Amino acid sequence: LLDPTLTLERYRRILQLFFGFYAPIEAGIARLASAQATLGLPLRARTGLIENDLLSLGVSRHELAELPRCADLPRLSCREDLAGCLYVIEGACLGGQMIAPVLRQRLGIGQENGAGFFIGDAEETRARWSLFLTWIQDLPHSRAATVKIVAAARSTFLAFADWVERGRSPKE
């Protein structure tokens, strides 16, 4: 995304890969969160932002529906799994704040025409991250719980990296 040779077509392909991961992972997060008696953290779905970006970049609703979805997702079966996965998803929003200005400069895209996912919560991103950190720090922690949270974060990172690697074309 920060490659100086990034083209709009390559960016669209990257967003399609993000969509293929975020759609199923956020569905799993929502299922697990709804099963928790009290989550204590409002969820922020990002899949819709990617969808809007892709539509504004010329992907049709039919093409969007046909995009492959990642099936090799990290396990989401307990609060520790949820915390580790959200650490990755919420933390990625911070990176988006570094990527969005580059997209505007290099590709001329912003909130309404293709970069909404990376802009995300814009100036509220740091506040959202602080809210998440407070939530995760307030979880009951034992050594076992911390190990499970870290393992879940690692599994999420690896699942995403594997998904992107499998979806890349040879010239990317």
Side-chain angles (χ1 to χ4, degrees):
L1 288 167
L2 300 177
D3 185 334
T5 65
L6 181 69
T7 64
L8 203 52
E9 180 56 39
R10 188 163 162 224
Y11 174 66
R12 185 174 20 251
R13 177 71 186 124
I14 291 167
L15 279 181
Q16 290 171 337
L17 288 170
F18 273 64
F19 181 83
F21 186 79
Y22 271 75
I25 198 77
E26 286 190 342
I29 289 169
R31 276 192 300 278
L32 182 56
S34 69
Q36 300 289 321
T38 55
L39 182 60
L41 176 72
L43 294 178
R44 170 72 156 97
R46 312 256 178 221
T47 304
L49 296 172
I50 303 170
E51 182 176 325
N52 290 339
D53 288 344
L54 287 169
L55 291 170
S56 74
L57 293 170
V59 174
S60 71
R61 289 206 178 274
H62 175 74
E63 291 169 320
L64 197 59
E66 296 296 318
L67 287 175
R69 306 295 197 280
C70 181
D72 191 16
L73 297 169
R75 184 183 76 222
L76 288 170
S77 63
C78 62
R79 188 174 284 245
E80 291 84 2
D81 292 342
L82 181 65
C85 184
L86 285 174
Y87 175 82
V88 175
I89 300 298
E90 292 294 332
C93 297
L94 294 173
Q97 298 304 293
M98 308 267 302
I99 294 167
V102 174
L103 295 175
R104 178 172 296 288
Q105 178 187 25
R106 292 193 185 142
L107 301 178
I109 57 176
Q111 180 78 39
E112 300 302 321
N113 65 342
F117 172 72
F118 290 103
I119 293 170
D121 295 322
E123 63 277 349
E124 297 300 316
T125 300
R126 290 201 183 276
R128 171 101 183 138
W129 179 246
S130 293
L131 179 67
F132 170 75
L133 289 179
T134 299
W135 174 78
I136 202 169
Q137 289 168 351
D138 287 345
L139 291 178
H141 286 297
S142 65
R143 177 156 168 67
T146 301
V147 168
K148 285 179 79 172
I149 291 169
V150 171
R154 186 173 186 275
S155 291
T156 304
F157 275 121
L158 291 174
F160 180 70
D162 185 54
W163 171 250
V164 169
E165 192 59 36
R166 283 185 282 150
R168 286 176 48 165
S169 70
K171 58 186 169 200
E172 289 182 311

